[in-house]
Amino acid sequence: MDKMKVTYEVMLGLSAELVLDEALRRYKSDKLYREIDEALASKDEVAFRTLTDELKALI
């Protein structure tokens, strides 16, 4: 029974880590999209290219 509890706790920890990783990825992605929109609005081509490269690496 103890082995089952340890396995459950490990799986629960991994699930929590996956949820956190996805939340962070989504936050970073949303932030990059907003910054890309700002770069487009200000016609900053260098910032646009840099930010889109970051977004491509994230996705």
Side-chain angles (χ1 to χ4, degrees), residues 1 6 8-11 17 19-22 26 28 31 36 41 43 49-53 56-57 59:
M1 199 62 146
V6 170
Y8 175 75
E9 288 175 356
V10 168
M11 295 301 289
E17 190 173 336
V19 169
L20 181 59
D21 286 346
E22 175 62 21
R26 185 170 292 174
K28 289 177 185 178
K31 184 175 183 251
I36 288 169
K43 299 179 180 169
R49 290 186 185 275
T50 302
L51 293 165
T52 54
D53 288 342
K56 287 176 190 175
I59 297 175

Side-chain angles (χ1 to χ4, degrees), residues 1-56:
M1 199 62 146
D2 288 331
K3 185 177 181 184
M4 187 72 138
K5 183 179 178 183
V6 170
T7 302
Y8 175 75
E9 288 175 356
V10 168
M11 295 301 289
L12 192 60
L14 290 173
S15 295
E17 190 173 336
L18 286 171
V19 169
L20 181 59
D21 286 346
E22 175 62 21
L24 288 172
R25 187 196 63 75
R26 185 170 292 174
Y27 171 79
K28 289 177 185 178
S29 176
D30 289 347
K31 184 175 183 251
L32 284 170
Y33 276 116
R34 284 191 305 271
E35 290 175 353
I36 288 169
D37 286 344
E38 290 172 11
L40 284 170
S42 65
K43 299 179 180 169
D44 185 348
E45 185 177 343
V46 174
F48 172 78
R49 290 186 185 275
T50 302
L51 293 165
T52 54
D53 288 342
E54 286 182 42
L55 183 60
K56 287 176 190 175

